[in-house]
Amino acid sequence: MLKSEWIEKGYIDEPIDRSVDVKAEIRRMCEEKHAIVLAHYYTKGEIQDIADFIGDSLALAQKAAKTDAKIIVMCGVHFMAETDKILCPDKTVLVPDLNAGCSLADSCSADDLRRFKEEHPDYQVVSYVNTTAAVKALTDVVVTSGNAKKIIDTFPEDAKLIFGPDYNLGSYINSVTGRNMLLWNGGCHVHEKFSVEEIIKLRREHPKAIVLAHPECKGSVLVMADVVGSTAVLLKYCIESVETEFIVATEAGILHEMQRNCKDKTFHPVPPEISEGNVGCSCNECEFMKMNSLSKIYNCLKYEWPSIEVSEDVRKEAIKSIDRMLALS
Ligand code: 13P
Ligand code: SF4
């Protein structure tokens, strides 16, 4: 029986008996309920360790599209779970905490995008996967940071395109494709804060280190990077490269998988710049991703709540832009 206070909070915080081995119980419930745990690289290391699959947003969507599990527990943020539900309407998609949102997805509302489309009727809309289901329903094709260039390259050179909501990713893609897409002015509050000064300092201290950056970082960070790519691209580079030292400008959760795969290599996370809003904060973590916890996973599996729902009207439209992406990836 769900308590009204949990429903209000958006997650279940029922205390778990100390004698319970939470990790083992999560795995047992997954077996019993035919469930899988998907986790993004930005979640806590202990979650990545118990997940059936970890990946970037593209790989997570591809995995959800293929799984035959009855229940998907999506440890990431809200839009990732919505994407899973759009792809798998007959499955139960659980999230450990309904409050795990995304500042980037929040920077573009469906109403604002609808108005913008009306002002630009001959444009097609390319949306980053970090968007709500309602925005995806207004989109011609979805992209992730892992496939954006490849997908934009499939459009005729003179195609008129709107790209949203991430301004930094959009201008980076414009620069590598020679396009002139109209850019939405949205951004991720974590990636926008990485400090150029700190990268210069880290480079001075570690002259052999390779600078890795996610394309959601601002242009002044991207021009300093040796490698720009999605979390999966950056991880692959570290694993395959002969280099042994890296300066990492993306959410610090990725370091867990980097270090797990590259035991003898060294990783230096880039701190954010000090500004009025984050004075003294050395944190480069996404607080939404960090809302996922082992106890919330345990409880959401036990009660099969909170689950994600997407209305059929929205789903029917949104699936077209996601399917188009998956076909082109
Ligand atoms: P990826 O597509 O690289 O997984 O990034 C998702 C994200 O939320 C980055 O902030
Ligand atoms: Fe959204 Fe930024 Fe968090 Fe990624 S890191 S989930 S873009 S708020």
Side-chain angles (χ1 to χ4, degrees), residues 40 42 56-57 79-80 128 130 145 191 214 216 230-231:
H40 191 271
Y42 295 164
D56 67 353
S57 2
F79 77 81
M80 295 178 178
Y128 192 28
N130 295 43
S145 47
H191 285 87
H214 195 282
E216 286 172 25
S230 73
T231 46

Side-chain angles (χ1 to χ4, degrees), residues 40 42 76-77 79-80 101-105 128 130 166 187-191 214 216 250-251 285-289:
H40 191 271
Y42 295 164
V77 291
F79 77 81
M80 295 178 178
C102 167
S103 56
L104 179 51
Y128 192 28
N130 295 43
D166 192 64
C188 158
H189 73 297
V190 178
H191 285 87
H214 195 282
E216 286 172 25
T250 190
E251 210 270 3
E285 294 188 334
C286 171
E287 64 269 40
F288 302 115
M289 288 283 183

Side-chain angles (χ1 to χ4, degrees), residues 42 113 141 149 166 178 249:
Y42 295 164
L113 179 59
V141 64
K149 180 180 181 309
D166 192 64

Side-chain angles (χ1 to χ4, degrees), residues 133-302:
V135 164
K136 289 187 177 81
L138 297 169
T139 293
D140 293 285
V141 64
V142 170
V143 300
T144 71
S145 47
N147 60 19
K149 180 180 181 309
K150 188 173 168 191
I151 291 179
I152 303 291
D153 279 341
T154 65
F155 283 89
E157 268 176 32
D158 58 352
K160 292 181 169 180
L161 303 175
I162 294 167
F163 184 94
D166 192 64
Y167 181 86
N168 293 335
L169 175 62
S171 33
Y172 173 72
I173 297 297
N174 269 347
S175 75
V176 293
T177 59
R179 304 272 171 162
N180 189 21
M181 299 185 292
L182 278 187
L183 304 181
W184 197 265
N185 194 17
C188 158
H189 73 297
V190 178
H191 285 87
E192 280 181 334
K193 277 195 210 134
F194 287 112
S195 159
V196 173
E197 287 71 29
E198 292 291 342
I199 297 178
I200 295 171
K201 213 161 98 193
L202 281 166
R203 257 193 166 158
R204 215 176 287 135
E205 289 163 10
H206 311 282
K208 292 202 178 123
I210 299 292
V211 179
L212 310 173
H214 195 282
E216 286 172 25
C217 295
K218 54 191 184 242
S220 51
V221 166
L222 296 181
V223 291
M224 303 195 65
D226 300 297
V227 183
V228 176
S230 73
T231 46
V233 167
L234 301 181
L235 175 65
K236 188 165 180 277
Y237 184 87
C238 297
I239 295 172
E240 292 175 357
S241 163
V242 291
E243 310 293 342
T244 56
E245 208 172 355
F246 303 90
I247 295 167
V248 186
T250 190
E251 210 270 3
I254 185 73
L255 267 71
H256 180 77
E257 189 59 7
M258 286 177 168
Q259 201 69 77
R260 199 182 68 79
N261 279 279
C262 312
K263 302 245 175 333
D264 302 329
K265 301 189 180 182
T266 311
F267 300 94
H268 308 284
V270 177
E273 57 203 16
I274 304 297
S275 64
E276 232 175 80
N278 62 333
V279 182
C281 169
S282 62
C283 163
N284 41 20
E285 294 188 334
C286 171
E287 64 269 40
F288 302 115
M289 288 283 183
K290 282 0 183 210
M291 284 177 181
N292 294 282
S293 69
L294 286 177
S295 58
K296 287 178 188 167
I297 298 173
Y298 172 95
N299 278 322
C300 86
L301 264 167
K302 180 174 168 188

Side-chain angles (χ1 to χ4, degrees), residues 19-39:
S19 62
V20 172
D21 178 341
V22 175
K23 291 182 181 177
E25 263 308 290
I26 290 173
R27 295 311 324 158
R28 191 197 60 74
M29 284 192 277
C30 280
E31 283 282 302
E32 184 188 286
K33 297 178 181 231
H34 200 17
I36 55 165
V37 176
L38 307 183

Side-chain angles (χ1 to χ4, degrees), residues 79-90:
F79 77 81
M80 295 178 178
E82 270 189 343
T83 305
D84 294 350
K85 187 66 185 177
I86 293 165
L87 285 163
C88 314
D90 301 330

